[in-house]
């Protein structure tokens, strides 16, 4: 049989195979069977070697010619199949209201989110965020903060002791001392972290809670700066209209000291029958004030040169207000519905 | 502190509206926790029982003719038994409004009663604190006087919070003084004359042996009669929350509430030679308190003793021996000042807290001893007692040290300008003495009752209070650059966001737990920590221990749900080393999952956990691959636990929770956890870019038969080592065990990817590299190519 006849038959069978192919896969197997590395065309090429040398070039180009035709046919068939595919795809109709396939979705705890938001606000204004140990000696919890032994204010910090001199910190303020001992002014830090107090448990109080502390010490730092930063923080957390109010108070480590209130976000300060603020129109956030000169002296800062402010707010307290949560214990119970709703 | 507004108005002019008073107090730093409004009571007047007789038709009723001043006397029937002719009593007239009823004309057993004799209860006073029956007034009270108005019974009671530095304000006069200064109105103090001055009578002596008694003012009174106090005093005490007892106890309570100064009365007959000694208690000294309780004292306690026994625990409570009784005719008054810290320690040690100690422990101003004594003397004299000469012992009253105050500190610390004149006026109103000291400074002397003001910062707070904190204007500071790092916090934050992105939900649990956690661990076959960190003074047994790991709380969380959960927690864990409690930051994440239908040598859940763990570590370290090794540790499955290592250091442990422990915690589904100590994670390493080859890669898939015990990772490592520099990746993607391979063998499907940097790799080159590598494996591990 001569080469031409063989080639023609081969091409005819290939065309037939292409014609019979209804999808891309059978089309591809036809291509591999004929044009693939170990396909029929390759087998045919091997026979060229048996031809007399003079006939070989002609045979070779004849094969190439047919292969080219076959490849053209293949591309045409491919286009035909693709058009079929497009047509089939376009005719599909689904119910777009069918429930979605849920993505793998995690979440940050709502209390931690408030903590991160507070930190992010202060970081934007040039504060560092520092964290510290939850077990702290007396010295950092009290003495260095101008609360000597037997000071009546120690009563407000009813603490859990681990050894006679080591306690679970009742506030994040020990980090004020640690930070100032390590750095010279300017000092600008926020301290988020867990604290413990021997408080009877109810909807507003828990023996474990989180606090966010802020401390700014430098030349020329005054109480207006404290109000400015806290107003900004409240606007970030609760809404752009928030106001902040200071009331005189007493903490041994600040002087003057203030209780900080912000407009009740629920009634927007109108009060009335509001269940969140009890009608006062204000929400208590926590304590603040100008760092007591004795505290500055304890870390070898000259209070005649440097001044500073500090605040310490309960994070759950802020989260309660922000998310209108009824009971502080929910932040530790990890109820699925709670975490899901506030995720 | 409960503050009856009607009492407060004795000393200072105040707005009518209690809310206005409350907001002034708040501005001054004394927040009002509650305003207790009094019920509306009208038509109650004082009446004098002119005649009293039996009711004609009822044995248990009496009928009185009551004089009410200008009007005609009223005929009123009563069932009360504490009435008698001549008494002045409370009468509700026809039309009177009482908390529970309105008085109407009515017949009692056929006799018209023109009103009602009423008790303390009907005046909304605590019934069991007053006489059983009809409320009795002093005979001096004019019949017809409006009772509610006279006793200011309609005035609200404020619950005022007083910070611990302001013990001077734990009193009516203290608060009135603040309100007077705030409003710039005069303060009206009771006129204090020291009765008894110059009188001759019984003498007494006080010996002070302890420096912790700074001052002791005392006085003897004869002819005392401990009957009931006058109605006005009983009513005021009751509204202030203090139960009236008798004339003497009431006077001491009244003076304390009025002036802050606690007092104590001794029955003089029980004090030999009228000699009191202030001294440390003797070790083991017995003390029988007023309430009969017996205590053994230590020298920590400060006592006021007679020559024979301790008669008073200083600042805390009196002894039963010398307490005033109905038989007392002569008493010794004590108005003393003690070192607050000493009183506080004793109170804590003995577990006693009284109204007196809550003031003493905050270190009262010594000057108050005079005021308290004088006021008590006045009230005792009014009640008919005969005062004798008063005496003061201890340190003389020293004037407070002056404070130098730089006026520019107002601007520097408070942020607003204030003229010096205004500063002086404000301080003057609070009783401070101010004089110029140089160009810009003031020399300031605090009033003697303000022992809390000792520094320039304290003065600043006074100025801020008087100006009003509202004057402080919000301003955003320009924070100067500093070098304080946030790295620890940023890492925690990154951990949280990474795990949330991997589909884990964050939980926050308590760090304190009870022994039941150890019990569950034990039931699950895990030994609890040998020396857990323990709280010395827990609130309850459920909060005695500090967690040593995050696993128990997470298992308790997972036990609460039946559906698969993915969750994580970041927190501190606590442990003991050389008796030293320590802590570190840990992160735990993992999931519960329905078991898969897999042979016992495969666990896809484990591989998923491992994948998450690697992704997590990649995000934190920027490192691309981690070694793994089988691991065994309590709480984890012996055959499904591994460690991830970086540079030979273990940085994470992960595995299936031991099914016994899972059951002990009541978790339904298998649990896979990964535990990382944050401090073990190496720092983030900035990745460096290497341009990829422009030439295409190729790969060869190998089916290698090896011993079942051979870890895939060892084959991969060996393959990679022997495949040379063109090998870019070796990855096992399937495992087979079964009849197709000999017993004790398994088949691993491994893809080797090859790529040259300077040319396209040819098939021949790829085949050669792989063949060489396989023969190396054959030599090292006896591996064969699967047919
Ligand atoms: Zn509100």
């Amino acid at each position: 049989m001569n080469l031409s006849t063989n080639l023609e038959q081969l091409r005819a069978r290939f065309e037939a195979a292409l014609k019979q192919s209804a999808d891309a896969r059978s089309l591809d197997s036809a291509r591999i069977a004929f044009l693939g590395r170990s396909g029929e065309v390759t087998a045919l090429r091997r026979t060229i070697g048996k031809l007399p040398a003079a006939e070989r070039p002609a045979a070779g180009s004849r094969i190439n010619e047919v292969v080219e035709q076959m490849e053209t046919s293949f591309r045409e068939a491919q286009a035909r199949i693709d058009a079929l595919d497009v047509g089939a795809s376009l005719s599909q109709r689904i119910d777009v209201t069918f429930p979605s396939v849920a993505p793998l979705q995690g979440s940050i705890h709502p209390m931690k989110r408030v903590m991160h938001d507070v930190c992010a606000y202060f970081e934007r204004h040039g504060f560092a965020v520092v964290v510290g140990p939850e077990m702290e000696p007396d010295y950092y919890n009290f003495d260095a903060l101008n609360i000597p032994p037997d000071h009546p204010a120690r009563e407000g910090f009813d603490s859990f002791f681990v050894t006679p001199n080591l306690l679970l910190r009742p506030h994040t303020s020990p980090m004020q001392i640690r930070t100032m001992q390590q750095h010279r002014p300017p000092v600008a830090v926020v301290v988020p972290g867990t604290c413990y107090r021997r408080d009877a448990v109810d909807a507003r109080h828990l023996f474990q809670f989180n606090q966010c502390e802020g401390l700014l010490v430098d030349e020329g730092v005054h109480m207006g700066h404290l109000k400015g930063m806290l107003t900004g923080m409240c606007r970030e957390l609760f809404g752009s209209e928030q106001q902040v109010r200071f009331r005189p108070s007493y903490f041994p480590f600040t002087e003057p000291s203030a209780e900080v209130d912000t407009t009740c976000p629920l009634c927007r300060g109108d009060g009335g029958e509001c269940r969140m603020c009890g009608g006062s129109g204000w929400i208590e956030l926590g304590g603040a004030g100008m760092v007591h000169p004795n505290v500055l002296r304890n870390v070898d800062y000259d209070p005649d040169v440097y001044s500073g402010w500090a605040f310490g707010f309960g994070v759950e307290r802020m989260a309660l207000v922000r998310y209108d949560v009824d009971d502080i214990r929910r932040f530790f119970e990890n109820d699925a519905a709670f975490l899901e709703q506030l995720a | 502190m409960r503050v009856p507004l009607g009492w407060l108005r004795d000393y200072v002019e105040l707005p009518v509206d209690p809310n206005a008073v409350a907001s002034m107090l708040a501005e001054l730093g004394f927040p009002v926790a509650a305003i207790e409004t009094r019920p509306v009571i009208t038509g109650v007047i004082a009446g004098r029982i002119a005649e009293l007789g039996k009711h004609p038709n009822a044995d248990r009723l009496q009928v009185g003719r009551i004089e009410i001043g200008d009007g005609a006397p009223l005929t009123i029937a009563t069932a009360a038994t504490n009435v008698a002719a001549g008494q002045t009593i409370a009468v509700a007239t026809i039309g009177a409004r009482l908390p529970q009823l309105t008085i109407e004309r009515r017949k009692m057993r056929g006799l018209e009663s023109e009103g009602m004799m009423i008790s303390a209860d009907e005046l909304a006073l605590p019934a069991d604190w007053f006489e059983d029956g009809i409320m009795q007034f002093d005979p001096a009270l004019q019949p017809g006087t409006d009772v509610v108005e006279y006793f200011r019974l309609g005035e609200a009671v404020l619950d005022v919070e007083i910070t611990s530095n302001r013990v001077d304000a734990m009193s009516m006069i203290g608060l009135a003084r603040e309100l007077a200064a705030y409003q710039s109105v005069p303060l009206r103090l009771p006129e204090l004359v020291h009765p008894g001055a110059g009188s001759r009578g019984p003498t007494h002596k006080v010996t002070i042996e302890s420096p912790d008694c700074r001052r002791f003012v005392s006085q003897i009174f004869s002819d005392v009669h401990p009957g009931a106090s006058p109605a006005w005093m009983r009513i005021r005490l009751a509204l202030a929350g203090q139960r009236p007892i008798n004339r003497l106890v009431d006077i001491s309570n009244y003076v304390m509430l009025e002036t802050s100064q606690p007092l104590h009365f001794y029955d003089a007959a029980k004090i030999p030679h009228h000699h009191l000694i202030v001294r440390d208690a003797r070790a083991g000294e017995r003390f029988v308190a007023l309430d009969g309780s017996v205590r053994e004292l230590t020298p920590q306690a400060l006592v006021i003793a007679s020559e024979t026994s301790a008669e008073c625990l200083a600042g805390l409570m009196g002894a039963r021996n010398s307490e005033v009784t109905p038989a007392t005719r002569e008493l010794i008054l004590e108005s003393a000042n003690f070192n607050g810290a000493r009183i506080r320690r004793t109170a804590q040690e003995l577990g006693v807290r009284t109204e007196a100690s809550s003031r003493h422990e905050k270190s009262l101003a010594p000057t108050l001893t005079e005021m308290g004594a004088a006021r008590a003397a006045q009230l005792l004299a009014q009640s008919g007692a005969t005062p004798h000469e008063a005496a003061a012992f201890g340190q003389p009253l020293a004037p407070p040290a002056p404070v130098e105050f730089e006026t520019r500190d107002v601007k520097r610390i408070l942020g607003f300008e204030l003229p010096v004149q205004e500063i002086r006026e404000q301080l003057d109103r609070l009783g401070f003495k101010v004089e110029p000291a140089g160009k810009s400074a003031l020399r300031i002397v605090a009033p003697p009752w303000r022992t809390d003001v000792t520094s320039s910062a304290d003065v600043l707070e006074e100025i801020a209070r008087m100006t009003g904190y509202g004057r402080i204007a919000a301003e955003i500071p320009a924070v100067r650059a500093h070098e304080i790092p946030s790295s620890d916090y940023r890492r925690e934050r990154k951990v949280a966001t990474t795990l949330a992105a991997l589909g884990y939900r964050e939980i926050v649990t308590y760090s304190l737990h009870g022994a039941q956690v150890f019990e569950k661990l034990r039931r699950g076959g895990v030994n609890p920590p040998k020396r857990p960190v323990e709280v010395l003074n827990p609130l309850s047994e459920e909060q005695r221990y500090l967690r040593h790991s995050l696993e128990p709380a997470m298992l308790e969380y997972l036990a609460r749900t039946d559906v698969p959960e993915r969750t994580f927690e970041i927190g501190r864990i606590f442990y003991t080393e050389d008796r030293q409690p320590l802590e570190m930051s840990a992160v735990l994440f993992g999931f519960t999952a329905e078991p898969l239908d897999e042979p016992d040598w495969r666990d896809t859940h484990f591989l998923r956990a491992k994948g998450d763990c690697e992704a997590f570590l990649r995000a934190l370290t920027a490192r691309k691959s981690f070694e793994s090794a089988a691991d065994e540790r309590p709480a984890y499955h012996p055959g499904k636990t591994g460690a991830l290592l970086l540079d030979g250091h273990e940085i994470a442990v992960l595995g299936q929770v031991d099914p016994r422990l899972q059951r002990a915690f009541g978790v339904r589904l298998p649990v896979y956890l990964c535990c990382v100590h944050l401090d073990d994670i190496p720092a983030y390493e900035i990745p460096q870019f290497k341009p990829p080859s422009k030439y295409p890669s190729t790969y060869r898939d190998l089916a290698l038969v090896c011993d079942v015990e051979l870890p895939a990772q060892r084959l991969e490592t060996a393959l990679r080592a022997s495949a040379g520099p063109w090998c870019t990746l070796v990855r096992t993607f399937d495992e087979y065990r079964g009849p197709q391979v000999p017993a004790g063998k398994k088949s691993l499907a491994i893809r080797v990817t090859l790529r040259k940097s300077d040319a396209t790799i040819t098939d021949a080159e790829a085949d050669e590299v792989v063949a060489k590598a396989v023969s190396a494996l054959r030599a090292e591990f006896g591996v064969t190519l699967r047919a």
Side-chain angles (χ1 to χ4, degrees):
Chain A
M1 220 187 286
N2 77 22
L3 180 69
S4 280
T5 324
N6 278 350
L7 271 173
E8 273 316 309
Q9 281 177 0
L10 190 137
R11 199 180 73 142
R13 281 191 288 115
F14 182 59
E15 300 278 354
L18 291 182
K19 204 167 257 170
Q20 276 167 20
S21 299
D23 55 36
R25 188 182 297 172
S26 52
L27 203 61
D28 212 44
S29 47
R31 186 188 60 80
I32 290 165
F34 288 87
L35 295 166
R37 216 164 41 171
S38 41
E40 294 199 32
V41 172
T42 311
L44 205 59
R45 273 192 210 277
R46 291 208 182 100
T47 64
I48 292 177
K50 294 178 187 141
L51 291 177
E55 289 173 30
R56 285 180 203 164
S61 55
R62 177 66 190 134
I63 291 175
N64 286 347
E65 209 173 284
V66 173
V67 165
E68 217 164 281
Q69 287 166 1
M70 286 167 77
E71 277 172 351
T72 307
S73 305
F74 176 74
R75 278 193 295 275
E76 284 165 6
Q78 231 180 357
R80 174 177 60 84
I81 298 282
D82 194 46
L84 280 178
D85 284 352
V86 170
S89 171
L90 286 175
S91 68
Q92 291 174 350
R93 295 290 178 270
I94 62 159
D95 177 1
V96 297
T97 71
F98 203 82
S100 59
V101 175
L104 211 51
Q105 207 163 28
S107 62
I108 302 287
H109 189 277
M111 177 278 291
K112 292 279 186 117
R113 188 126 38 82
V114 171
M115 192 184 254
H116 295 323
D117 287 352
V118 170
C119 292
Y121 168 76
F122 281 94
E123 277 194 290
R124 263 193 351 256
H125 285 85
F127 286 65
V129 186
V130 295
V131 291
E134 291 175 14
M135 291 187 296
E136 285 275 21
D138 266 7
Y139 177 78
Y140 287 102
N141 278 306
F142 301 124
D143 302 54
L145 290 163
N146 200 32
I147 319 175
D150 295 311
H151 193 286
R154 283 207 180 190
E155 193 147 301
F157 301 99
D158 192 1
S159 306
F160 293 106
F161 282 82
V162 169
T163 74
N165 179 41
L166 189 68
L167 52 146
L168 295 179
R169 62 176 177 193
H171 52 181
T172 40
S173 308
M175 278 306 282
Q176 285 190 22
I177 303 302
R178 290 190 181 275
T179 308
M180 290 193 286
Q181 280 177 341
Q182 278 176 30
H183 303 273
R184 297 294 303 168
V187 163
V189 291
V190 276
V191 190
T194 307
C195 304
Y196 306 83
R197 281 186 204 179
R198 298 178 77 250
D199 277 347
V201 172
D202 62 29
R204 302 273 140 184
H205 301 91
L206 210 45
F207 58 89
Q208 175 173 351
F209 61 99
N210 287 270
Q211 205 173 50
C212 224
E213 181 103 4
L215 174 72
L216 175 65
V217 182
D218 201 356
E219 287 179 44
V221 173
H222 60 66
M223 213 161 170
H225 295 139
L226 172 63
K227 204 179 221 175
M229 286 304 292
L230 292 180
T231 306
M233 183 198 83
C234 287
R235 291 186 177 170
E236 181 128 329
L237 287 181
F238 306 116
S240 58
E241 303 290 307
Q242 288 301 117
Q243 296 293 324
V244 162
R245 156 180 104 166
F246 284 176
R247 285 179 289 116
S249 190
Y250 171 68
F251 308 104
F253 34 96
T254 51
E255 186 87 50
S257 300
E259 283 289 343
V260 182
D261 299 342
T262 190
T263 332
C264 171
L266 191 62
C267 64
R268 294 171 188 280
D270 290 343
E273 300 281 286
C274 179
R275 65 184 151 75
M276 187 177 279
C277 61
S280 72
W282 294 93
I283 296 287
E284 288 179 29
L285 288 179
M290 299 303 291
V291 180
H292 197 288
N294 289 349
V295 175
L296 295 177
R297 284 186 199 105
N298 286 342
V299 293
D300 285 329
Y301 286 12
D302 182 353
D304 292 329
V305 177
Y306 298 108
S307 53
W309 49 249
F311 69 87
F313 294 168
V315 182
E316 286 86 0
R317 169 112 193 102
M318 292 189 274
L320 278 176
V321 172
R322 190 190 203 182
Y323 301 117
D324 193 9
V325 175
D326 57 340
D327 193 318
I328 193 167
R329 284 166 285 198
R330 291 193 190 276
F331 289 100
F332 290 85
E333 279 164 4
N334 302 301
D335 182 61
F338 175 77
L339 295 177
E340 220 149 81
Q341 280 187 36
L342 300 183
Chain B
M1 189 174 78
R2 286 175 60 90
V3 178
L5 264 184
W7 189 349
L8 206 54
R9 287 188 205 281
D10 269 10
Y11 317 105
V12 62
E13 205 67 50
L14 291 171
V16 175
D17 178 9
N19 288 296
V21 180
S23 68
M24 284 197 286
L25 284 168
E27 291 270 298
L28 284 161
F30 304 101
V32 174
I35 300 177
E36 184 185 305
T37 50
R38 300 275 308 159
V40 175
I41 298 173
T42 58
V44 178
I45 56 173
R48 210 172 62 81
I49 306 179
E51 286 168 29
L52 189 71
K54 274 201 160 314
H55 190 288
N57 310 324
D59 285 350
R60 291 176 49 224
L61 294 180
Q62 297 185 87
V63 180
R65 201 163 66 81
I66 314 292
E67 289 173 357
I68 54 162
D70 295 342
L74 305 176
T75 302
I76 299 176
T78 181
T81 53
N82 71 327
V83 283
Q87 288 175 345
T88 303
I89 55 157
V91 174
T93 54
I94 301 299
R97 272 180 65 193
L98 300 179
Q100 311 293 341
L101 74 162
T102 303
I103 304 297
E104 283 159 10
R105 209 171 273 282
R106 60 175 179 154
K107 283 212 161 123
M108 280 176 93
R109 292 295 186 100
L111 192 111
E112 182 135 326
S113 189
E114 299 169 301
M116 186 171 143
M117 303 184 208
I118 62 171
S119 68
D121 191 32
E122 273 115 10
L123 290 170
L125 293 166
D128 50 348
W129 286 6
F130 286 83
E131 50 274 81
D132 193 12
I134 303 305
M135 178 95 185
Q136 307 279 335
F137 297 136
D138 323 316
L141 187 62
Q142 278 298 320
T145 305
D146 185 307
V147 165
V148 170
E149 206 179 288
Y150 183 81
F151 293 108
R152 298 183 188 150
L153 275 168
E155 294 265 21
V157 178
L158 309 184
D159 184 4
V160 183
E161 290 170 14
I162 292 150
T163 50
S164 64
N165 60 324
R166 290 304 303 275
V167 61
D168 68 292
M170 282 182 81
S171 62
M172 303 304 154
I173 289 177
L175 287 174
R177 187 180 276 130
E178 291 280 315
L179 288 164
Y182 184 86
Q183 303 175 95
S184 275
V185 298
L187 178 71
R188 296 184 297 253
L189 289 179
E191 205 178 320
L192 290 180
V193 283
H194 234 303
S199 83
R200 286 154 60 116
T203 56
H204 71 284
K205 192 169 92 173
V206 176
T207 309
I208 298 177
E209 292 179 356
S210 167
D212 288 329
C213 174
R214 295 184 289 216
R215 200 168 164 78
F216 197 116
V217 176
S218 51
Q219 192 169 5
I220 290 197
F221 295 84
S222 314
D223 312 317
V224 295
H225 298 279
S229 300
W232 65 267
M233 185 180 283
R234 289 186 290 142
I235 288 172
R236 281 191 172 182
L237 289 174
L239 289 176
Q242 190 77 49
R243 180 184 189 136
I245 308 289
N246 63 43
R247 197 175 283 164
L248 300 179
V249 177
D250 291 354
I251 285 177
S252 89
N253 283 331
Y254 188 87
V255 170
M256 177 178 68
L257 291 175
E258 190 184 41
T259 68
S260 294
Q261 175 66 49
L263 307 173
H264 188 69
F265 295 148
Y266 303 86
D267 187 333
K270 306 286 174 57
I271 309 292
H273 310 114
H274 293 172
H275 183 196
L276 291 171
I277 303 143
V278 189
R279 60 164 168 85
D280 297 342
R282 305 203 170 95
E285 187 167 3
R286 264 169 58 95
F287 183 82
V288 185
L290 286 176
D291 59 7
S293 60
V294 182
R295 288 181 170 76
E296 281 221 347
L297 304 180
T298 67
Q300 159 64 46
L302 186 67
V303 297
I304 292 107
S306 69
E307 289 167 359
T308 51
S309 58
E311 300 300 337
C312 186
L313 268 173
L316 279 173
M317 59 163 81
R320 168 170 274 184
N321 174 53
S322 55
E323 79 173 300
V324 290
T325 66
T328 303
R329 289 297 167 266
E330 195 167 78
L331 63 79
I332 305 177
L333 156 77
E334 165 207 313
S335 177
N337 185 277
F338 303 109
N339 173 0
R342 177 87 184 260
I343 303 302
R344 181 181 176 72
R345 274 198 300 272
T346 311
Q348 269 171 355
E349 196 178 274
L350 297 173
V352 197
R353 194 98 196 281
T354 60
E355 281 283 324
S357 75
S358 76
R359 287 172 173 78
H360 276 302
E361 69 183 24
K362 297 182 179 88
S363 283
L364 289 151
T367 187
L368 293 174
T369 52
E370 306 282 331
M371 188 180 191
R375 183 64 169 142
Q378 191 178 29
L379 291 169
L380 283 165
Q382 273 171 23
S383 77
T386 307
H388 303 288
E389 186 124 36
F393 302 88
Q395 299 158 19
L397 292 173
V403 174
E404 296 289 324
F405 181 76
E406 288 288 342
T407 51
R408 63 167 181 273
D409 273 357
V410 174
K411 172 74 179 158
R412 184 171 80 99
I413 304 291
L414 300 178
F416 57 79
E417 302 273 5
L418 210 59
V420 176
Q421 193 47 40
E422 206 168 318
I423 295 172
R424 297 189 62 160
E425 273 168 25
Q426 289 174 350
L427 293 173
D428 182 60
R429 273 190 272 153
L430 285 165
F432 289 70
K433 297 214 162 29
V434 187
E435 53 186 58
K439 269 202 298 268
S440 63
L442 298 172
R443 181 170 297 112
I444 293 166
V445 180
W449 55 86
R450 290 298 304 276
T451 44
D452 61 309
V453 179
T454 58
S455 73
S456 155
D458 299 326
V459 172
L460 262 177
E461 183 167 84
E462 296 307 298
I463 293 168
R465 286 196 314 132
M466 284 296 118
T467 312
Y469 275 33
R471 219 9 220 285
I472 298 162
E475 188 183 320
I476 296 286
V479 175
R480 282 203 295 147
H482 57 83
E483 298 294 325
I484 304 172
S486 301
S487 39
D488 286 352
Y489 167 75
R490 292 229 169 103
R491 186 168 51 190
E492 258 188 59
R493 178 99 187 97
K494 181 91 186 255
V495 165
T497 48
T498 303
L499 288 173
L502 286 169
Y504 292 90
R505 170 188 283 165
E506 185 173 26
I507 59 169
V508 174
T509 65
Y510 295 119
S511 316
L512 294 162
H513 64 77
Q516 85 282 356
V517 163
F518 298 145
E519 190 40 48
K520 282 186 196 170
L521 287 173
R522 248 180 243 114
R523 264 193 284 133
V526 178
N527 285 327
K530 273 204 202 71
R531 260 210 314 262
V533 183
E534 194 175 339
V535 171
L536 301 176
N537 56 339
L539 273 175
S540 80
E541 282 306 313
E542 272 72 64
Q543 297 144 20
R544 175 173 284 283
Y545 302 100
L546 279 161
R547 62 181 173 195
H548 67 290
S549 81
L550 300 175
E551 274 91 344
M554 181 149 314
L555 290 173
E556 284 179 340
Y557 167 74
L558 293 171
R560 287 174 13 209
T561 166
D562 264 357
V563 295
E565 283 277 342
R566 296 166 67 81
T567 175
F568 75 99
E569 178 166 20
I570 305 168
R572 294 260 161 177
I573 56 176
F574 304 83
Y575 58 102
T576 311
E577 225 161 64
D578 301 331
R579 308 211 164 265
Q580 177 71 27
L582 298 168
E583 59 179 279
M584 66 173 141
S585 278
V587 52
L588 182 69
F589 61 94
F591 53 80
T592 46
E594 295 286 354
L596 297 167
D597 186 15
E598 288 181 315
D600 60 8
W601 47 267
R602 188 202 303 267
D603 188 342
T604 307
H605 288 321
F606 176 87
L607 299 179
R608 288 209 176 106
K610 186 176 169 187
D612 283 354
C613 191
E614 286 168 344
F616 166 74
L617 292 171
R618 268 199 295 275
L620 282 156
T621 61
R623 304 287 279 265
K624 292 291 172 279
S625 62
F626 306 89
E627 284 170 69
S628 49
D631 199 295
E632 252 187 81
R633 61 185 60 208
Y636 286 87
H637 190 297
K640 295 187 183 181
T641 299
L644 289 183
L645 302 93
L646 191 55
D647 307 330
H649 297 290
E650 179 186 303
I651 52 176
V653 172
L654 76 154
Q656 186 185 338
V657 167
D658 189 316
R660 290 164 293 185
L661 189 67
Q662 172 205 327
R663 281 165 180 76
F665 274 84
V667 186
R668 186 181 72 88
L669 295 170
V671 185
Y672 296 82
L673 292 179
C674 172
C675 154
V676 181
H677 295 154
L678 280 180
D679 294 334
D680 293 345
I681 302 178
Y684 186 83
E685 203 167 81
I686 297 166
Q688 305 292 306
F689 177 67
K690 292 183 203 71
S693 168
K694 286 182 295 208
Y695 302 95
S697 64
T698 187
Y699 64 83
R700 294 291 182 268
D701 288 344
L702 307 173
L704 298 175
V705 178
C706 65
D707 286 346
V708 284
E709 300 299 336
L710 187 65
Q713 184 183 265
R714 283 192 68 191
L715 268 190
E716 288 183 350
T717 312
L719 253 177
R720 179 129 203 193
S722 48
W726 298 342
C727 174
T728 56
L729 188 70
V730 175
R731 190 160 173 89
T732 310
F733 60 91
D734 199 11
E735 176 175 355
Y736 170 80
R737 299 185 197 190
Q740 315 266 345
V741 292
K745 300 278 180 186
K746 66 182 173 186
S747 167
L748 294 177
I750 303 181
R751 173 165 292 184
V752 181
T753 307
L754 300 158
R755 187 181 216 178
K756 285 169 73 173
S757 60
D758 53 355
T760 303
I761 187 165
T762 66
D763 284 338
E765 283 169 332
D767 290 341
E768 193 193 331
V769 164
V770 168
K772 244 179 69 189
V774 169
S775 66
L777 291 190
R778 185 174 293 129
E780 193 177 352
F781 303 109
V783 162
T784 56
L785 273 175
R786 190 168 158 197

